[in-house]
Amino acid sequence: GMVCTPEAPWLVQKIATGVLTADGNGTGGAVTEVDDSLGMDGALCQASAIQLVGTPGSERRERRLSNFVAIRPRPWPQMEYENSYVEVVTGEELPPIKLKTPPGYEEGMGGLKPSHIPLSC
């Protein structure tokens, strides 16, 4: 089984295999103990399983535990600039080019904005 704090309904464990996947349909919690979590969904989790150990015929079951941090980043779905073009002449400094924040990705809403934006002329 698995337990997470806060609850992480977006984190799904297949009982038969133990494989964990992120489900995009669940509502998420937020990692609040880390200052730079950027509002991403996250949780502290503990998974447990039973392992058969020993030689055939004298096997015994042992419980195994694993603690982990699950973080689900939500990268911006698109990049759109406030201005569609910029005009400068040689020697002028390029004015700041600002990105538009996509709806639902406002500060603190779990959106992971780009950290590097390549531009070319």
Side-chain angles (χ1 to χ4, degrees), residues 47-62:
S48 63
I50 302 296
Q51 180 182 18
L52 292 176
V53 295
T55 58
S58 63
E59 296 174 333
R60 67 184 187 285
R61 295 174 182 241
E62 288 187 8

Side-chain angles (χ1 to χ4, degrees), residues 38-39 76 101-102 104-111 113:
L38 304 173
W76 282 12
T101 302
Y105 287 80
E106 291 80 11
E107 188 74 28
M109 297 298 290
K113 63 183 172 183

Side-chain angles (χ1 to χ4, degrees), residues 14-117:
K14 288 187 179 181
I15 301 299
T17 62
V19 173
L20 295 175
T21 56
D23 175 13
N25 299 326
T27 57
V31 174
T32 56
E33 299 298 318
V34 182
D35 290 338
D36 60 355
S37 66
L38 304 173
M40 290 184 284
D41 294 338
L44 304 173
C45 301
Q46 184 178 69
S48 63
I50 302 296
Q51 180 182 18
L52 292 176
V53 295
T55 58
S58 63
E59 296 174 333
R60 67 184 187 285
R61 295 174 182 241
E62 288 187 8
R63 186 173 182 207
R64 302 290 186 197
L65 297 174
S66 179
N67 297 313
F68 61 95
V69 175
I71 297 176
R72 181 175 64 164
R74 289 187 340 148
W76 282 12
Q78 78 240 12
M79 288 193 333
E80 187 177 334
Y81 299 99
E82 288 183 358
N83 300 322
S84 59
Y85 68 94
V86 176
E87 288 184 34
V88 293
V89 295
T90 304
E92 284 187 342
E93 190 173 309
L94 184 66
I97 300 172
K98 296 183 180 179
L99 287 171
K100 286 184 183 179
T101 302
Y105 287 80
E106 291 80 11
E107 188 74 28
M109 297 298 290
L112 184 60
K113 63 183 172 183
S115 60
H116 177 77
I117 305 164

